[in-house]
Amino acid sequence: MRYQNRRDAGQRLGEILRNNHLRDPVVLALPRGGVPVAFEVARALAAPLEIFVSRKIGAPRHSEFGIGAIAEGGVTVFDEGSVTALGLGPAELQQLAAAEGAELRRRVAAYRKGRPLPVLADRDVVLVDDGLATGVTAAAALRSLRGHRPRRLVLAVPVCAAQTRERMASTADEVVCAMAPASFLS
């Protein structure tokens, strides 16, 4: 199965989620790629849509190699294996997180224009991204959202690495991944 584009991916994901017995759902999109996917999911569920920001923390001198992530609410997660392999200490990690924290705050202000998050307590929250490779940004977002006391926390993506789906199952109440190819690269 292939998707024509993010809109098609969101429509197909929405079809799956429509049969998921969600109660008072709210859909949260991880920008940027998750927004067009989440738009279609929210439409399929007749649910409100909002942005939730989580930022990858890249390795020093290799910013595309994600070693962690920071999410709204101040939640920071690091991939311990990557941190150990790179020999990074607490001071370096704090510095990397602080740099991304400033950009995270800027993006929250730009995307939401002062709108607060909707009330998430006792609702089914569906966090949507366009795909999961390492899952580090989704993990940070899920941990932050858990603090809002949702009734159920669902991570929904059209495509993901099978290992990542298994790992995310310990953070989300449910992981909905429409396609998990055997060899998945970001």
Side-chain angles (χ1 to χ4, degrees):
M1 174 171 65
R2 291 185 67 107
Y3 302 111
Q4 293 177 14
N5 51 35
R6 285 180 173 94
R7 182 177 180 203
D8 177 45
Q11 289 170 345
R12 293 188 198 190
L13 191 57
E15 289 173 21
I16 294 168
L17 288 164
R18 236 191 319 239
N19 299 319
N20 212 352
H21 308 292
L22 297 168
R23 190 176 81 201
D24 192 21
V26 60
V27 176
L28 299 177
L30 288 174
R32 293 178 308 196
V35 174
V37 178
F39 176 82
E40 297 299 334
V41 168
R43 185 165 28 181
L45 299 175
L49 170 65
E50 189 54 82
I51 303 274
F52 192 81
V53 182
S54 182
R55 294 271 307 156
K56 174 175 58 178
I57 298 172
R61 297 171 299 286
H62 301 286
S63 62
E64 286 304 309
F65 175 53
I67 61 167
I70 185 168
E72 290 184 54
V75 171
T76 305
V77 297
F78 285 101
D79 176 69
E80 294 302 323
S82 297
V83 168
T84 301
L86 293 169
L88 299 172
E92 291 169 294
L93 296 176
Q94 186 176 13
Q95 185 178 22
L96 291 168
E100 288 302 328
E103 179 60 15
L104 181 134
R105 289 185 295 279
R106 186 194 73 74
R107 288 183 183 216
V108 168
Y111 292 143
R112 287 219 299 269
K113 308 267 189 240
R115 289 185 318 273
L117 279 174
V119 173
L120 304 177
D122 299 320
R123 297 179 81 177
D124 289 349
V125 174
V126 181
L127 180 68
V128 178
D129 203 355
D130 60 346
L132 289 179
T134 66
V136 71
T137 55
L142 289 166
R143 287 186 186 169
S144 181
L145 290 168
R146 187 63 73 193
H148 290 269
R149 298 182 353 265
R151 184 181 86 87
R152 195 160 141 219
L153 188 52
V154 178
L155 176 61
V157 294
V159 62
C160 68
Q163 290 175 302
T164 303
R165 178 179 56 195
E166 291 169 19
R167 206 169 48 253
M168 292 291 106
S170 66
T171 308
D173 295 317
E174 182 178 358
V175 178
V176 176
C177 175
M179 183 172 41
S183 63
F184 179 77
L185 303 172
S186 62

